[in-house]
Amino acid sequence: MRMIFMGPPGAGKGTQAKLVADKYGIPAISTGDIFRANVSQGTELGRKAQQFMDAGEYVPDEVTNLMVRNRIDEDDAQPGFLLDGYPRTLAQVEELDGMIRNTGHELDAVVVLTVDAEELVQRLLQRAETDGRSDDTEDVVRRRQEVYTEQTEPLIGVYRDRGLLVEVDGMGPVEEVNARIFGALQDVRES
């Protein structure tokens, strides 16, 4: 299974991605996790990414595309993968299409978690307190929501037109949202 999880920051993509990936036996690939790992290790990529993340902006496509290409080329991603946080722009959609085409497969599904905007802000502010995330201040959270609306929401229409979109209500306890996702994925055929 090759799928993407989409939704605004704080929708629960990371939590749900791990659960779904475990069930399918595929890696959950989170661009945010890879960026944060590079930041904590003090790599050049991490230093570049930190500047954008702290401002609530997206890391430039050329950096992100290379990172994703390298990751889906790893052996554990051969049977499939779940991307969380990529693609975020129309240019990244085209880049991902080429990456998947090179594997001889197709994208199977795009799961979009929908959550009330104010609920998202509260979730992220709570996460900032519990996880100590420096990129979760209220101003940065609201800016990330704006960036998502401007740059990423248009991708939903692209994937809807391709017949790949699976919209799931992301409100409620983790277990309920997870059950909705698995119910929605029942009819998806793997490439």
Side-chain angles (χ1 to χ4, degrees):
M1 178 76 80
R2 285 154 190 81
M3 68 178 94
I4 298 169
F5 266 36
M6 294 180 70
K13 296 180 303 293
T15 300
Q16 294 299 334
K18 288 180 180 110
L19 297 169
V20 171
D22 285 348
K23 178 174 172 150
Y24 284 100
I26 57 176
I29 301 171
S30 163
T31 53
D33 287 349
I34 295 170
F35 288 145
R36 283 186 288 279
N38 277 274
V39 167
S40 69
Q41 295 164 11
T43 68
E44 184 178 343
L45 170 63
R47 286 189 295 278
K48 284 182 184 176
Q50 185 72 54
Q51 295 170 352
F52 293 95
M53 291 164 53
D54 283 348
E57 302 291 337
Y58 287 162
V59 176
D61 284 356
E62 60 273 6
V63 175
T64 307
N65 292 340
L66 180 59
M67 178 193 65
V68 171
R69 180 181 300 278
N70 290 342
R71 181 61 185 93
I72 67 172
D73 283 345
E74 292 181 23
D75 289 342
D76 68 334
Q78 295 310 310
F81 50 80
L82 188 158
L83 293 173
D84 165 16
Y86 183 90
R88 290 187 173 181
T89 65
L90 290 169
Q92 289 178 356
V93 168
E94 292 176 21
E95 187 73 22
L96 179 61
D97 288 346
M99 290 180 210
I100 294 174
R101 209 171 16 256
N102 286 339
T103 70
H105 295 279
E106 296 176 4
L107 189 60
D108 299 307
V110 177
V111 175
V112 177
L113 295 177
T114 58
V115 179
D116 174 73
E118 282 308 308
E119 170 72 14
L120 292 170
V121 171
Q122 294 312 308
R123 284 183 184 184
L124 291 172
L125 293 177
Q126 171 124 24
R127 182 175 80 182
E129 288 179 25
T130 58
D131 295 356
R133 293 271 301 266
S134 66
D135 58 334
D136 281 345
T137 66
E138 186 166 353
D139 287 344
V140 170
V141 164
R142 291 195 185 279
R143 176 63 188 143
R144 287 168 61 206
Q145 303 296 349
E146 291 170 7
V147 171
Y148 173 82
T149 300
E150 294 164 7
Q151 296 184 26
T152 304
E153 265 187 9
L155 309 187
I156 294 170
V158 169
Y159 288 122
R160 180 179 287 118
D161 291 347
R162 293 182 184 183
L164 296 171
L165 199 67
V166 178
E167 291 187 83
V168 176
D169 179 1
M171 297 289 284
V174 170
E175 300 78 19
E176 285 180 21
V177 175
N178 193 252
R180 285 185 214 123
I181 292 169
F182 284 125
L185 288 173
Q186 277 183 320
D187 298 329
V188 172
R189 292 190 322 218
E190 299 177 33
S191 67

